[in-house]
Amino acid sequence: EDEITLFERDMKEFWTEFKSVYGTEQINQTFAVRDSCKEAIEALSEKWSKKLKEGDLMIDKIQEYKNEILQQSKCISEKEEQLAEIKSKLSQEEEQQKNLTDSIQELKEELAKKMEIASSKDKAAKEKVERLCKSKVLFEERLGLEIRRIHNEQLQFIFRHIDHKDPDKPYMFTLSINEQGDYEVTSCTPPLDCIAEFQLKVRETNNFSAFVANIRKAFTALSYK
């Protein structure tokens, strides 16, 4: 307690001496400057604290924007991949459609050619049939032959007066024009072993009169057996 009392006395003496040296007004000014600086520091501290908080908010916002941009970039990348895949499929479909169109065109052209060939063959076959019909009178008079037009544009050739025992007995064969435009015997009564040979020969020579005459000779030879 004595020391405290001694210290307080020394402080009073020091304060009295200090005031006497510097004066009360200067001390008050010092205190005012101190208080002003303190207030300015507090205001500046509050201002920078607010700025720091705003900066933290800004950083959070920027990070949020960055995350959104990354997400959008990822979405755009996925859309671009989907678009590239769609373009690839469209390109493949266009190529397939082009190939299909080309194939259809080729088929059309091929069909047109086949139809033209078929029409030409049909015309040739009809002309042959017409020529055969025009030869009907000649064959009937010289060979005792009757020619009939039957179904599917076929001609039936009927020979009589071959068998001397039975002059009215018919010997016949049926002739048609096949898809290749050649003569083709579809039936023969009674059958002849040499009919295939005669058919091949008329295709080579196109001598139809000789073909009919050879068949009649074969029928005649058969009647004597």
Side-chain angles (χ1 to χ4, degrees):
E1 290 181 1
D2 293 337
E3 289 179 357
I4 292 173
T5 301
L6 181 61
F7 178 74
E8 288 178 352
R9 187 188 64 188
D10 291 339
M11 286 295 297
K12 286 179 180 181
E13 290 178 356
F14 170 78
W15 187 246
T16 302
E17 185 178 356
F18 179 79
K19 287 192 292 182
S20 64
V21 173
Y22 291 97
T24 302
E25 183 177 355
Q26 189 173 2
I27 293 173
N28 291 335
Q29 289 178 357
T30 302
F31 287 157
V33 170
R34 183 199 63 184
D35 294 339
S36 176
C37 289
K38 184 178 179 181
E39 291 175 359
I41 290 172
E42 290 178 353
L44 186 60
S45 176
E46 183 178 355
K47 179 180 179 181
W48 279 108
S49 178
K50 184 177 180 181
K51 291 289 184 181
L52 287 174
K53 290 181 180 179
E54 291 177 354
D56 291 339
L57 292 175
M58 184 65 70
I59 291 172
D60 293 340
K61 200 67 175 179
I62 290 172
Q63 187 62 40
E64 184 179 348
Y65 288 155
K66 288 176 66 176
N67 293 336
E68 289 180 0
I69 291 171
L70 289 175
Q71 187 66 28
Q72 290 178 0
S73 298
K74 182 180 179 181
C75 183
I76 290 172
S77 178
E78 292 176 354
K79 295 295 183 183
E80 287 177 347
E81 291 178 359
Q82 293 176 0
L83 182 60
E85 185 177 355
I86 292 172
K87 286 183 177 180
S88 177
K89 289 182 178 179
L90 286 175
S91 178
Q92 293 176 1
E93 290 177 357
E94 288 176 356
E95 184 67 21
Q96 291 176 356
Q97 185 176 2
K98 183 179 181 299
N99 293 336
L100 181 60
T101 303
D102 294 341
S103 299
I104 291 173
Q105 184 62 31
E106 290 177 0
L107 289 174
K108 284 182 178 180
E109 293 175 357
E110 184 178 355
L111 180 60
K113 290 180 181 178
K114 287 184 177 179
M115 290 179 66
E116 183 179 354
I117 294 172
S119 177
S120 177
K121 289 182 178 179
D122 185 57
K123 182 179 179 181
K126 288 183 178 179
E127 289 176 354
K128 284 187 177 182
V129 171
E130 291 298 327
R131 286 197 300 269
L132 292 176
C133 290
K134 289 179 181 179
S135 303
K136 177 180 179 182
V137 176
L138 177 63
F139 290 137
E140 286 179 348
E141 291 178 353
R142 297 187 180 182
L143 302 175
L145 174 64
E146 179 185 355
I147 302 175
R148 298 176 182 173
R149 187 192 292 258
I150 59 176
H151 58 86
N152 295 330
E153 295 295 329
Q154 295 187 95
L155 293 178
Q156 189 178 57
F157 295 76
I158 304 172
F159 296 96
R160 300 183 191 278
H161 308 294
I162 290 180
D163 189 348
H164 63 281
K165 296 179 182 179
D166 187 2
D168 291 331
K169 180 180 178 180
Y171 290 76
M172 65 184 73
F173 71 94
T174 303
L175 189 70
S176 68
I177 308 298
N178 60 22
E179 293 181 356
Q180 287 72 35
D182 297 325
Y183 296 110
E184 183 174 351
V185 177
T186 56
S187 66
C188 182
T189 306
L192 295 173
D193 295 335
C194 56
I195 197 71
E197 179 184 349
F198 293 159
Q199 179 176 267
L200 181 60
K201 191 170 183 179
V202 73
R203 290 179 181 178
E204 293 175 350
T205 64
N206 203 31
N207 190 341
F208 187 75
S209 298
F211 170 71
V212 175
N214 288 332
I215 291 180
R216 189 180 192 283
K217 288 179 182 179
F219 280 145
T220 300
L222 187 64
S223 68
Y224 286 103
K225 291 183 179 180

